[in-house]
Amino acid sequence: MKPVYLDNNATTRVAPEVLSAMLPFLSEQYGNPSSMHSFGGAVGGHLREARARVARGLSCDPSEIIFTSCGTESDNAAIRSALESQPEKRHIVTTRVEHPAVLSLCQHLETKGYEVTSLGVDEEGRLDLEELEKSLRKDTAIVSVMYANNETGVVFPLPEIAGIVKSRGVLLHTDAVQAVGKLPIDLSKLPVDFLALSGHKLHAPKGVGVLYVRKGTPFRPFLVGGHQEHGRRAGTENTASIVALGRAVELATERIGEENTRVRAQRDRLERGLLEAVPDSRINGGGAERLPNTLSIAFKYVEGEAILLLMDRFGICASSGSACTSGSLEPSHVLRAMGVPFTFAHGSIRFSLSRYTTDADVDLVLKELPPIIARLRQLSPFSGKEGEAAAFCSTHSH
Ligand code: PLP
């Protein structure tokens, strides 16, 4: 069965144009770009071109682009660099809705004696900028704030955030893994010091990312070894994937306007259709600015995992808003931070669309999902059934 793939915030399909750009570097053009011979040197030329393409897509200088292995590495490298380059500063500001790439690192750093302020969000997932301003201190080493949330698609007002943080002379990192390719990004106007992106969220392969470091920002490498990436990230370059990422950013930049219009219309149709067809449903973050491709919808009195399993029978791929750990159904940290009521948080499903989403995909969900919810509600009117749902979840998922 061909999947109806609506889980593009988890990962995306490699674009055919991207695949054909990278294939030569997995076959004939296998040289090492650091080699002295022209065979390797030729590959170096393609890396330079890929770097230039990414830089054009972000409106920055190619020298500000460091290729990494993933978004997680880029986030880690930015935050750790800020701490290492300012050893006297031991305070970090972040938010409660970050991806674990930032959240878990900050928790780890707390165990090493750093102090972390985690800003909360309101019921729509929005930050309070006054609270952000108040959280900044003389010893704040870095503020790390995501651009767009992977679960809800809620977009933080990065230009305003940058205005506040930079006016206080504090380093600013943004995890833009979900934003790049979905929101236009112009680093000549957006004064962040670091920005992380990940190839596999924008139709490049898994295992390649970028850390943007603004010129003049002190930088301490995360990986130490050879001189690759001008000594800022050691390790022989993942040439094929870097070339792929260059092409993927180029495609995304060319098409962003047209794709966003189409994807937003599909997302809105899905959202309206589900809200109309399913009583007791609501949108997580619906009142905030959101990515055009993301729909986090909560269905009262049902379990997200059960919905996913039943949708899977129709080949529909999506995500739920809870994490099944040790047999307990814990709504995600993002939904908890937003204060989404318990009965809704458990029945939260994330649909994330892409340039490959078809109208027929949306039609299929609109046809199959409402009866699935109705059936689950019949089977389990929830009250008194939470224990059963948790047991179901622990045996069926992850
Ligand atoms: N940050 C955000 C917001 C993400 O959504 C993800 C991936 O889901 C990451 C970071 C991690 O990226 P990667 O999978 O490339 O390590």
Side-chain angles (χ1 to χ4, degrees):
M1 193 194 316
K2 194 172 161 283
V4 174
Y5 190 76
L6 298 171
D7 203 11
N8 288 278
N9 287 8
T11 197
T12 60
R13 172 188 173 162
V14 174
E17 300 89 335
V18 169
L19 182 64
S20 60
M22 76 185 285
L23 280 179
F25 300 90
L26 294 171
S27 49
E28 307 89 52
Q29 290 185 263
Y30 55 84
N32 186 327
S34 302
S35 298
M36 291 302 290
H37 44 72
S38 53
F39 181 63
V43 178
H46 289 280
L47 289 195
R48 273 193 295 284
E49 178 54 28
R51 199 181 305 280
R53 285 176 168 179
V54 173
R56 273 197 298 276
L58 300 176
S59 300
C60 67
D61 193 85
S63 66
E64 296 173 309
I65 298 297
I66 301 174
F67 288 111
T68 65
S69 68
C70 58
T72 302
E73 182 192 328
S74 301
D75 285 329
N76 273 255
I79 295 171
R80 287 178 180 276
S81 169
L83 298 176
E84 216 182 298
S85 66
Q86 310 167 96
E88 71 291 357
K89 299 189 175 178
R90 300 190 59 86
H91 177 231
I92 302 164
V93 176
T94 188
T95 81
R96 284 173 58 194
V97 295
E98 298 298 307
H99 186 272
V102 169
L103 206 67
S104 301
L105 172 63
C106 288
Q107 283 162 359
H108 170 73
L109 289 167
E110 271 182 316
T111 69
K112 303 284 168 200
Y114 291 94
E115 208 183 318
V116 178
T117 301
S118 290
L119 303 169
V121 293
D122 70 10
E123 69 287 352
E124 300 291 356
R126 293 172 299 214
L127 271 184
D128 178 344
L129 297 189
E130 268 179 38
E131 197 191 336
L132 165 70
E133 190 157 21
K134 281 192 208 130
S135 73
L136 299 174
R137 311 192 318 212
K138 271 209 179 69
D139 66 337
T140 306
I142 187 163
V143 174
S144 182
V145 172
M146 70 200 321
Y147 206 151
N149 189 275
N150 44 301
E151 288 189 32
T152 58
V154 170
V155 176
F156 282 156
L158 240 282
E160 285 93 323
I161 291 170
I164 293 168
V165 175
K166 295 319 297 172
S167 73
R168 300 281 292 274
V170 176
L171 289 178
L172 175 60
H173 168 57
T174 187
D175 174 345
V177 165
Q178 293 293 345
V180 174
K182 299 170 192 156
L183 295 176
I185 292 180
D186 181 349
L187 289 169
S188 71
K189 301 208 176 87
L190 182 68
V192 297
D193 301 290
F194 302 101
L195 175 144
L197 71 87
S198 175
H200 74 107
K201 309 290 184 179
L202 60 140
H203 304 292
K206 293 153 190 67
V208 64
V210 159
L211 175 61
Y212 157 85
V213 183
R214 183 173 293 278
K215 237 180 236 169
T217 305
F219 188 71
R220 302 287 181 277
F222 186 45
L223 286 188
V224 179
H227 293 111
Q228 292 88 357
E229 300 296 293
H230 297 285
R232 294 176 301 177
R233 199 275 186 184
T236 301
E237 298 88 342
N238 181 355
T239 52
S241 293
I242 289 172
V243 169
L245 181 52
R247 185 73 180 111
V249 170
E250 189 176 59
L251 282 176
T253 312
E254 278 165 20
R255 298 178 179 181
I256 194 165
E258 172 243 320
E259 277 180 2
N260 275 353
T261 307
R262 192 170 43 74
V263 167
R264 185 188 297 276
Q266 288 174 327
R267 189 274 311 265
D268 289 349
R269 187 163 75 85
L270 181 61
E271 178 170 314
R272 268 196 316 272
L274 291 176
L275 286 176
E276 277 166 21
V278 183
D280 281 330
S281 53
R282 57 180 250 177
I283 308 303
N284 298 318
E289 188 194 340
R290 280 180 300 157
L291 292 174
N293 81 316
T294 307
L295 167 59
S296 173
I297 183 162
F299 303 107
K300 203 174 184 183
Y301 301 136
V302 280
E303 287 301 337
E305 280 67 24
I307 301 172
L308 290 184
L309 284 171
L310 292 178
M311 286 202 301
D312 195 51
R313 295 186 185 168
F314 300 97
I316 301 167
C317 307
S319 287
S320 79
S322 48
C324 248
T325 43
S326 45
S328 74
L329 272 176
E330 184 82 330
S332 79
H333 68 284
V334 175
L335 300 182
R336 276 184 285 141
M338 291 165 71
V340 174
F342 186 82
T343 45
F344 275 106
H346 280 296
S348 286
I349 298 290
R350 178 190 72 188
F351 294 100
S352 45
L353 287 59
S354 83
R355 73 170 65 127
Y356 300 114
T357 303
T358 64
D359 290 339
D361 294 339
V362 174
D363 291 341
L364 185 78
V365 179
L366 288 174
K367 173 165 171 266
E368 303 300 348
L369 184 51
I372 287 175
I373 306 285
R375 211 175 114 204
L376 287 171
R377 282 183 178 160
Q378 253 175 11
L379 286 173
S380 169
F382 203 79
S383 50
K385 300 271 179 142
E386 281 157 80
E388 278 176 38
F392 174 83
C393 181
S394 65
T395 49
H396 285 80
S397 93
H398 310 299

